[in-house]
Amino acid sequence: MFTRRDFLNSSVIGGVSTFCLSSVLNAKAPGNNGLPYRLALDVATKMYDGKRCWCHPRAGIVPGAGNNGLPRVVMTMNSLDVSGSDVFKAVYGLETDDLGETWSKPAKSPNLAVRYETDDNVKRPVAVSDSWPHWHAATKKLLVTGHTVVYTPDWRVAHVRGRHTTYSTYDPNKRQWSSWQKLEMPEGEKFDNAGAGSTQRLDLEDGTIFLPIYYTPSKKSSHVTVARCSFDGKDLRYEEHGSEHAVDDKTRGLHEPSIARFHGEFFLTIRNDKKGFVTRSKDGLHFEPI
């Protein structure tokens, strides 16, 4: 049997890799069919020691903050304890100021660290995970969104738990993230277990954020929707959400939606245990049946 541990030990998931597309450095480089970029695979860092590995590596850019006017690329990732399921004990960060020629060593992000919260009279660890940094052009801020994972005191995922969307902003001068905060959602049990883990958002030109989330109302299977949010460079605020989507296929439901815009239409891709789904919208909030 090819086990999960064997897979982690032998695959690229044990490290962090980057695909670099650069018209700045590689304009019409030889051997790339005349395209104005070069595609390369570089390993920024690697870790698998039989107990931990890296996961969820995602990168955002800060225009002009790198060397000689280049962007700074800022990556976030979790350490994963492979002894259990989804055991994320820390958020790490690394950076490059020269488009991936060199990377800093991974370092824990103290402001994205695990917190302890009391729920049902039990003190539990709460971690930030599944984060995705993305440049918010209107406020000129690198904003990362993700979600919380609540654990039992012995670091097992709590099956009955709350979940929140998390967010933080990056300070290019201090090279650090702000203390993570929770996105406040409307009152009521519908969004008690709601988060933006592993979702890609879309920012409009006026700064409006379309943030896809998934949530579990009344302990049923997971649903998805898109939340319209405002952001002033510091605080992320929920304003409204659009159409709600679910499936009844005896799975955990719908997860990890991501949104994109193409030729004036909005597209939402959605993860499911059996298949992937997609739907489209004219306004980014109200989508067709999946």
Side-chain angles (χ1 to χ4, degrees), residues 121-133:
N121 297 317
V122 178
K123 189 175 182 180
R124 304 173 184 271
V126 180
V128 171
S129 78
D130 298 68
S131 300
W132 211 305

Side-chain angles (χ1 to χ4, degrees), residues 1-267:
M1 173 183 284
F2 191 68
T3 66
R4 180 186 185 199
R5 189 178 298 272
D6 294 330
F7 173 73
L8 289 168
N9 199 28
S10 63
S11 74
V12 74
I13 242 176
V16 174
S17 302
T18 57
F19 287 96
C20 300
L21 284 77
S22 172
S23 58
V24 177
L25 298 183
N26 303 291
K28 295 191 177 180
N32 68 347
N33 298 319
L35 297 172
Y37 58 82
R38 180 178 62 88
L39 182 64
L41 176 63
D42 302 304
V43 177
T45 186
K46 186 176 182 180
M47 179 184 69
Y48 180 75
D49 59 8
K51 297 180 180 180
R52 298 181 305 155
C53 70
W54 299 128
C55 67
H56 301 148
R58 281 92 181 234
I61 66 166
V62 182
N67 296 339
N68 301 316
L70 291 174
R72 176 178 299 161
V73 182
V74 181
M75 188 183 297
T76 61
M77 59 189 180
N78 282 97
S79 62
L80 173 67
D81 186 335
V82 300
S83 65
S85 176
D86 290 343
V87 180
F88 309 113
K89 291 188 175 180
V91 177
Y92 284 75
L94 62 162
E95 303 173 351
T96 176
D97 284 342
D98 54 15
L99 294 181
E101 293 293 326
T102 58
W103 287 87
S104 63
K105 292 183 178 180
K108 286 185 179 180
S109 300
N111 289 334
L112 302 181
V114 170
R115 298 176 186 172
Y116 285 82
E117 300 178 355
T118 300
D119 182 38
D120 291 334
N121 297 317
V122 178
K123 189 175 182 180
R124 304 173 184 271
V126 180
V128 171
S129 78
D130 298 68
S131 300
W132 211 305
H134 185 76
W135 178 251
H136 189 258
T139 59
K140 294 181 171 55
K141 290 285 187 177
L142 183 60
L143 171 68
V144 64
T145 52
H147 69 183
T148 59
V149 182
V150 179
Y151 298 95
T152 62
D154 61 349
W155 282 94
R156 302 299 176 186
V157 175
H159 292 294
V160 179
R161 66 189 187 277
R163 174 166 43 190
H164 295 85
T165 293
T166 61
Y167 67 95
S168 173
T169 57
Y170 175 81
D171 186 327
N173 296 317
K174 296 181 180 179
R175 294 179 180 263
Q176 68 180 26
W177 293 95
S178 63
S179 295
W180 63 270
Q181 301 182 64
K182 297 177 180 179
L183 175 65
E184 293 187 10
M185 297 296 289
E187 293 185 3
E189 68 174 15
K190 174 186 284 190
F191 294 116
D192 281 351
N193 185 345
S198 295
T199 72
Q200 295 183 72
R201 72 176 201 262
L202 176 69
D203 302 342
L204 301 184
E205 290 75 11
D206 65 359
T208 297
I209 292 176
F210 285 158
L211 180 66
I213 63 171
Y214 54 108
Y215 60 101
T216 308
S218 303
K219 301 179 178 62
K220 296 180 181 179
S221 64
S222 184
H223 296 38
V224 303
T225 189
V226 175
R228 182 176 67 83
C229 300
S230 60
F231 179 62
D232 60 7
K234 181 182 178 182
D235 296 316
L236 183 67
R237 294 185 175 88
Y238 165 94
E239 302 293 344
E240 63 173 331
H241 69 277
S243 53
E244 303 176 10
H245 301 271
V247 292
D248 183 13
D249 61 357
K250 297 181 181 180
T251 67
R252 296 176 300 163
L254 301 177
H255 299 85
E256 299 177 359
S258 287
I259 189 172
R261 181 171 54 180
F262 183 68
H263 286 186
E265 290 188 306
F266 298 85
F267 294 86

